[in-house]
Amino acid sequence: MSEAATRTVTTPPGLLASLDPLLREWLPRQRWFAGKGRPVTGFSLVAATELLPADARLGLYHLVVRAHQQLAPVPGAPERPGDCYQLLIGVREALPPRLAPALVGHVTQGPLAGRTVYDALYDTRPAEILLEALRTRARVGGLRFDRAPDQEIRDGLVPRLMTAEQSNSSVVYGDTFILKLLRRIVPGVNPDLELPLALAREGCPRVPAPTAWMTTELSGEPWVLGVLQPYVQGAADGWELALRELAKGEDFTAEARALGRATAEVHTALARALPTVTLGHGPLTQLVAGMTERLEEAVHAVPALLPYASGLRSAYTALGDLAAEGRTWTAQRVHGDLHLGQCLRSPSGRWSLIDFEGEPARPMAERRLPQPPVRDIAGMLRSFDYAAHSADPPAPGWAAACRAAYCTGYAEVSGTDPRTDPVLLRAYETDKAVYEVVYEARHRPDWLPVPMSAVRRLAAPDSA
């Protein structure tokens, strides 16, 4: 692999055209496809790299494709370019039964006619090739595989694809490393690599330090494709752990408090590692305007919000009033999409934070903006609420106790309790709950009562 990495690779003409009809059917069925509900009208090839020649028993292509879709007509709205996706396409004469779930289809035309193509991440050999490329710091066509200078990757680690992930794909190598492959990719510096590297330089142990990473450059801009990090063996996902404890009727406040401490440690390290800014009247006015605009759009999309719109809007105007009086807040880089599912508890009881990509639907530039740390805190408080409402029967008292314990733990490390700034906290919680209402109405209507319960609380006159 390391010798092949030094040569220029080419792809056969007509490759995408031969795959197009198969990808139109297969791509929208993937859990990580972001454009569900809108037909795919075609693809354009952004980049293609041959990792294994297709005329061999096993061929392998790395593709970056742009999916073009029909957009709902919105008067005056600019046409949005299609999303770009990273695909690893394996090529075989026929698939063995173990790879049946990976099938993309049988090619009938073009350079791969008569062959079977599939999602190669399900296959051991292609996954091994990626790890070997990272180990050797390979260069294959436009793909760059880099490794932290102080990190070693031994060979012989057996890969397995994790099947539970939603927005990306992850491969675990021998319980030693986990490679997260981004599926919907965008140009620019990706916080999922940028922030863990910054935290590693600060010596923050709460975030697994990147061991290696996979990138490319297109049209003069960097694109992050994947990040390899240590695998926390035996770790429990925070969401699953919370639900298990709830089901057993166990107290979770000690874990919530420890998680608050972990969050504060990460925030403190990020504030040391990267610049902070002061949010005064101008930036706060823009922030409040953005929250208000999202509320108006949400009310239009989900009429159930209408009776609460005035109360919810008051959460934002109260923040704007404080800014007008001269109040300022410090903003810094934050996680950006923090919830229980983004936290891992090791068998020793230590909490780690993962997945610093931010909200995938937001533009990259917005995800990299400094934010008040309370944005992450609000996300975690909402996550406790979700967990409590997933119980049968719902356990609002459990959520209230966890929320309080989390804030207490955060204050023990940061020196500042989020509850001492109720106007800011309410504004960010409201913004998050409004987002949740729209999401659930569109994707999981059965879950809509969960954020609506928060909406009723946050819209009440005494909620601050």
Side-chain angles (χ1 to χ4, degrees), residues 83 128 150 191 209 211 223 279 289 312 394 464:
D83 293 320
E128 290 173 341
D150 60 337
T211 301
W223 296 59
L279 298 182
L312 297 174

Side-chain angles (χ1 to χ4, degrees), residues 68-91:
H68 302 283
Q69 295 183 262
Q70 294 177 356
L71 299 179
V74 178
E79 185 170 335
R80 187 175 67 87
D83 293 320
C84 285
Y85 294 93
Q86 174 181 201
L87 307 179
L88 279 158
I89 299 296
V91 184

